[in-house]
């Protein structure tokens, strides 16, 4: 639940903040953590803003490992940004430590807090107001891959085990169909068949990984537009934020999840499937930005597999919705009857649409590959 003023005050008192607290308020539109904006006055220096967050302990069971990942990645990014002549105060998150030197504070209720320097003169947009925003997010997430290309990804903690292990998720799906605890399987026969017909999609990346053909990368795993800060003056995507789900993974999956969500012409739970398709203009825009941002640091194989990333992520997401439907809506919150069934249908419609447009998707990647 929400923190009380006493709990918030305890947290504030335990971070290495300077100056006099002038103002504190709930901030932003995040759905996972509780975010606050604090303003401190430092005599002779004006006001300094910081972000304070109470981490969601239901979602993140390993907050210490999570912050270890954030520290590793942001410290590395800081060095890269300085090397490139950038501004490390605005182009990466900067953790403000607690008084004991740790990158988090565990309060007397057992909740974990952390703090970041506030990134000034930039905006995180909740909806794509113009295609340029989508393009800027692609460049920023591509640049994130570029800057972290030599980071030892295997040293990161896997904070959510098997997050994009699509092969393992396929096995869970098959078990859910067999068990059919609510007797819902008969009502989603076609959807189940759609998944069963595509076992090779579920296995595709796992098999290449088994053969050692895909490098392990630092992945963000929540590549939404509002996890990018866009500079108010230049309109450029300057910083990737919200590093909670940073983990070892595959570059194609970060790309693919952005396409799944951002290039779809309809909402994730649209019931009129005639409205659902993968927009090739948006797909091209994102592909262009992402490949530019990566600046040649991905392998030829990774670039070539970007369309497959879009298909695998969309397929996996649909399969997860369908699995949850069969298991009784235990994971994804539902707001109406059969919500997860409707959600899986949009994803499978997108997969089918991508299959139809496959040649176009591949040729767009080739157009920007170098
Ligand atoms: P999500 O629902 O995307 O998972 P979340 O709950 O994990 O969000 P964040 O994305 O970390 O929360 O932060 C919420 C919002 O707070 C951001 O969208 C952004 O507007 C703002 N924000 C977070 N960190 C900073 C920062 N360092 N500087 C400026 N604004 C920030
Ligand atoms: Mg966020
Ligand atoms: Mg988040």
């Amino acid at each position: 639940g929400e923190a009380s003023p006493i709990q918030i005050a305890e947290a504030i008192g335990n971070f290495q903040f300077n100056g006099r607290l002038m103002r504190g308020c709930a901030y932003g539109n995040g759905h996972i953590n509780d975010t606050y904006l604090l303003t401190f006055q430092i005599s002779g220096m004006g006001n300094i803003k910081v972000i304070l967050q109470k981490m969601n302990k239901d979602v993140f069971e390993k907050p210490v490992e999570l912050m270890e990942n954030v520290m590793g990645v942001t410290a590395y990014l800081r060095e890269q940004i300085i090397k490139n002549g950038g501004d490390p105060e605005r182009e990466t998150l900067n953790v403000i430590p607690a008084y004991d030197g740790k990158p988090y504070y565990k309060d007397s209720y057992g909740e974990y807090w952390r703090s970041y320097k506030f990134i000034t003169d930039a905006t995180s947009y909740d909806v794509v107001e113009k295609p340029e925003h989508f393009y800027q997010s692609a460049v920023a997430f591509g640049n994130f891959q570029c800057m972290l290309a030599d980071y030892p990804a295997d040293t990161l903690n896997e904070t959510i085990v098997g997050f994009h292990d699509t092969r393992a998720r396929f096995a869970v799906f098959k078990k859910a169909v067999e068990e059919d605890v609510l007797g819902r399987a008969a009502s989603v026969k076609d959807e189940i068949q759609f998944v069963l017909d595509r076992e090779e999609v579920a296995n595709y990346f796992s098999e290449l990984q088994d053969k050692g053909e895909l490098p392990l990368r630092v992945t963000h795993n929540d590549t939404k537009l509002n996890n990018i800060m866009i500079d108010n003056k230049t309109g450029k995507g300057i910083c990737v934020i919200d590093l909670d789900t940073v983990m070892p993974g595959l570059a194609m999956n970060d790309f693919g999840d952005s396409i799944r969500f951002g290039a779809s012409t309809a909402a994730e739970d649209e019931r009129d499937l005639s409205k659902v398709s993968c927009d090739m203009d948006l797909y091209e825009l994102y592909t262009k930005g992402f490949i530019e941002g990566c600046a040649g640091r991905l392998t030829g194989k990774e670039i070539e597999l970007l369309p497959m990333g879009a298909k695998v992520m969309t397929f996996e997401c649909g399969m997860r919705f369908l699995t949850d439907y069969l298991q009784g809506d235990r994971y994804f919150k539902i707001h109406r009857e059969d919500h997860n069934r409707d959600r899986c249908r949009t994803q499978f419609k997108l997969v089918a649409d991508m299959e139809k447009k496959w040649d176009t998707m591949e040729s767009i990647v080739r157009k920007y590959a170098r």
Side-chain angles (χ1 to χ4, degrees):
E2 235 164 75
S4 68
I6 295 173
Q7 192 179 359
I8 298 172
E10 178 191 333
I12 294 174
N14 279 282
F15 282 93
Q16 297 183 27
F17 297 140
N18 297 314
R20 192 155 65 96
L21 182 63
M22 301 302 288
R23 202 174 128 74
C25 56
Y27 187 75
N29 294 313
H31 293 300
I32 302 295
N33 304 294
D34 291 352
T35 302
Y36 303 90
L37 173 63
L38 309 178
T39 308
F40 291 89
Q41 192 181 53
I42 301 178
S43 55
M45 277 181 65
N47 289 341
I48 297 241
K49 288 177 180 174
V50 306
I51 289 283
L52 177 69
Q53 287 182 322
K54 178 163 78 73
M55 293 163 68
N56 185 323
K57 69 168 175 200
D58 298 329
V59 177
F60 304 116
E61 290 166 359
K62 301 173 179 171
V64 177
E65 284 90 337
L66 187 163
M67 288 311 293
E68 222 172 80
N69 287 353
V70 171
M71 288 303 287
V73 165
T74 54
Y76 189 89
L77 285 174
R78 205 182 157 81
E79 279 176 33
Q80 299 297 308
I81 292 162
I82 291 169
K83 247 189 251 167
N84 301 337
D87 178 355
E89 300 288 295
R90 295 185 77 231
E91 294 168 31
T92 176
L93 286 175
N94 287 275
V95 171
I96 301 173
Y99 275 116
D100 61 7
K102 294 202 174 92
Y104 55 83
Y105 172 69
K106 185 182 182 184
D107 73 15
S108 49
Y109 306 83
E111 304 259 17
Y112 286 80
W113 296 75
R114 48 110 188 277
S115 178
Y116 295 119
K117 290 183 186 170
F118 184 80
I119 297 162
T120 53
D121 305 312
T123 305
S124 102
Y125 291 91
D126 290 313
V127 290
V128 180
E129 287 171 13
K130 41 185 181 180
E132 172 69 12
H133 287 162
F134 192 48
Y135 170 75
Q136 286 301 329
S137 79
V139 175
F141 283 117
N143 189 235
F144 187 76
Q145 281 305 321
C146 173
M147 287 198 291
L148 293 164
D150 291 328
Y151 190 93
D154 59 347
T155 62
L156 291 172
N157 302 302
E158 197 177 355
T159 44
I160 306 171
V161 175
F163 191 51
H164 284 316
D165 188 343
T166 315
R167 178 166 59 185
R169 289 192 184 278
F170 187 87
V172 172
F173 163 77
K174 280 217 305 211
K175 188 152 172 279
V177 175
E178 279 155 26
E179 291 177 351
D180 192 19
V181 288
L182 292 178
R184 283 177 167 178
S187 71
V188 282
K189 247 179 45 227
D190 293 350
E191 290 78 3
I192 291 170
Q193 196 56 48
F194 187 94
V195 176
L196 294 175
D197 288 345
R198 286 166 182 75
E199 182 166 5
E200 83 278 2
V201 178
N203 294 343
Y204 201 91
F205 287 150
S206 307
E207 283 171 5
L208 288 176
Q209 272 183 296
D210 290 348
K211 288 193 258 173
E213 289 180 21
L214 298 175
L216 201 61
R217 300 285 186 186
V218 180
T219 50
H220 183 277
N221 294 305
D222 195 10
T223 53
K224 298 180 296 187
L225 178 67
N226 68 3
N227 286 330
I228 296 290
M229 301 301 297
I230 294 185
D231 189 292
N232 293 341
K233 282 200 198 83
T234 64
K236 300 259 185 268
I238 52 162
C239 183
V240 172
I241 61 168
D242 200 347
L243 303 175
D244 288 337
T245 47
V246 160
M247 273 181 278
L250 300 175
M252 296 78 74
N253 288 346
D254 265 3
F255 171 87
D257 204 38
S258 302
I259 297 301
R260 177 191 78 76
F261 196 81
S264 171
T265 53
E268 204 168 63
D269 60 356
E270 174 61 56
R271 271 182 282 210
D272 179 356
L273 292 180
S274 70
K275 291 184 181 160
V276 182
S277 69
C278 184
D279 184 313
M280 284 299 106
D281 292 334
L282 289 173
Y283 170 83
E284 177 159 1
L285 199 60
Y286 198 91
T287 301
K288 177 177 188 286
F290 190 78
I291 294 177
E292 282 172 8
C294 289
R297 297 305 308 270
L298 296 191
T299 66
K301 184 104 190 146
E302 288 176 294
I303 297 281
E304 181 194 313
L305 288 172
L306 291 176
M308 188 53 86
K311 182 164 154 177
V312 170
M313 284 299 95
T314 311
F315 176 76
E316 181 194 280
C317 183
M319 183 170 69
R320 290 179 65 196
F321 287 141
L322 182 53
T323 302
D324 203 36
Y325 184 70
L326 293 167
Q327 291 179 335
D329 311 308
R330 298 188 307 202
Y331 186 83
F332 298 106
K333 268 189 209 139
I334 56 165
H335 307 294
R336 62 178 192 238
E337 213 183 320
D338 300 334
H339 208 165
N340 279 320
R341 185 203 62 193
D342 297 344
R343 286 170 176 148
C344 89
R345 286 180 176 165
T346 64
Q347 301 307 297
F348 296 152
K349 174 73 198 289
L350 282 172
V351 170
D353 192 46
M354 289 176 194
E355 287 172 351
K356 268 191 237 149
K357 296 171 176 167
W358 199 246
D359 290 345
T360 309
M361 290 175 71
E362 291 199 318
S363 70
I364 287 172
V365 163
R366 277 195 300 273
K367 180 172 161 190
Y368 296 102
R370 42 175 177 157

